[in-house]
Amino acid sequence: MTDRDNAILTQLPARLKEARRTQGLSLDAVAKLSGVSRSMVSQIERGESSPTIATLWNLTRALQVDFAGLLDSAPAAPQIETLRAAQVPTIDNLGSGCRIRILSPPEDAGKHEVYELTIAPGGVLDSQPHTRGAREHLTVISGSLTVTSGEVSSSLNAGDTARYAADVPHRITAAGGETRAFLVVQDA
C-alpha cells in the first residue's frame, strides 16, 4: 500500500463524518438512508472499520456527496461553472409559443429545477401534474400572464410572484405581449 492509499484511508472517516454533519443528519438518519447499520456507520466514522466499496457507495449516495471527491487526497479547488447564453439547454416545442431555458444543473432534475420562460403573446404552457407535493414558484420579469393551478387562477404582472401546487394540472398563459418569467419547480 502506498503513502497516498494510507492518506486516503486516514482521511475517509473524517470526510464521511463531515459530510454527515454538513447535511445535518444523525447516525440513525444516515443508517436509514443508506441501508448501512448505525453501528457500522459509527465504526467507519471513528476509523475502527474500513468500508467495502458497496458500503462506501451507499453512504455517499445517502449523504449526496461525490464518491470520487470523497477519496481525493487533496480538496477540490474552488470552481465556477459557467454556461454562456448559447450553451444553456433550451426547449422550444413544449406548449405553444413558449421557449424554456433550463438554468438548473441536470443532477437537480426532479428535485429543484429552475427555468427562464419566454412566452409569445397568447402562448400557453400546459403542464400535467408533477409528483405529489410538487410546487412551483413563478416570478414575472416582464409582461403579464395568468397562472392556473387546478381550478384556481391568478393574474400576474412584472415583479409579481405566484407560488402554487404543481401536483394538479396547471397552466401558464401570456396575457398580452411577450412575457419573460423565472420558474422554480420543487420536487417535480
Side-chain angles (χ1 to χ4, degrees):
M1 199 175 272
T2 68
D3 288 340
R4 183 177 185 279
D5 294 335
N6 285 331
I8 289 171
L9 291 176
T10 302
Q11 294 170 359
L12 183 62
R15 288 187 178 179
L16 283 170
K17 190 173 192 174
E18 179 186 346
R20 177 177 62 81
R21 287 186 173 167
T22 299
Q23 294 284 336
L25 297 173
S26 67
L27 288 170
D28 288 325
V30 171
K32 287 178 185 170
L33 290 169
S34 68
V36 177
S37 73
R38 181 192 187 284
S39 62
M40 179 57 76
V41 174
S42 179
Q43 288 174 11
I44 292 168
E45 283 188 1
R46 291 191 316 261
E48 295 174 0
S49 178
S50 294
T52 64
I53 294 296
T55 299
L56 189 56
W57 178 257
N58 288 338
L59 289 171
T60 58
R61 300 278 295 175
L63 294 169
Q64 298 178 351
V65 295
D66 179 46
F67 183 86
L70 195 60
L71 299 176
D72 284 345
S73 58
Q79 296 182 15
I80 297 176
E81 179 182 1
T82 303
L83 282 99
R84 301 295 173 204
Q87 297 171 312
V88 174
T90 303
I91 303 169
D92 287 316
N93 59 357
L94 191 62
S96 100
C98 297
R99 168 169 258 188
I100 302 169
R101 296 180 70 223
I102 305 168
L103 304 178
S104 51
E107 60 268 17
D108 286 353
K111 294 180 275 187
H112 188 85
E113 302 168 359
V114 181
Y115 301 97
E116 177 189 22
L117 306 178
T118 304
I119 306 175
V124 176
L125 178 60
D126 261 321
S127 297
Q128 293 302 310
H130 301 309
T131 60
R132 186 177 184 148
R135 295 196 46 84
E136 291 186 355
H137 309 264
L138 179 69
T139 300
V140 179
I141 304 304
S142 64
S144 59
L145 52 78
T146 300
V147 62
T148 302
S149 173
E151 301 297 320
V152 181
S153 293
S154 181
S155 295
L156 305 173
N157 295 308
D160 294 343
T161 296
R163 297 182 178 101
Y164 50 92
D167 56 359
V168 295
H170 50 288
R171 162 188 284 217
I172 300 168
T173 307
E178 182 175 276
T179 301
R180 285 188 58 232
F182 282 106
L183 176 64
V184 176
V185 183
Q186 291 180 302
D187 301 321

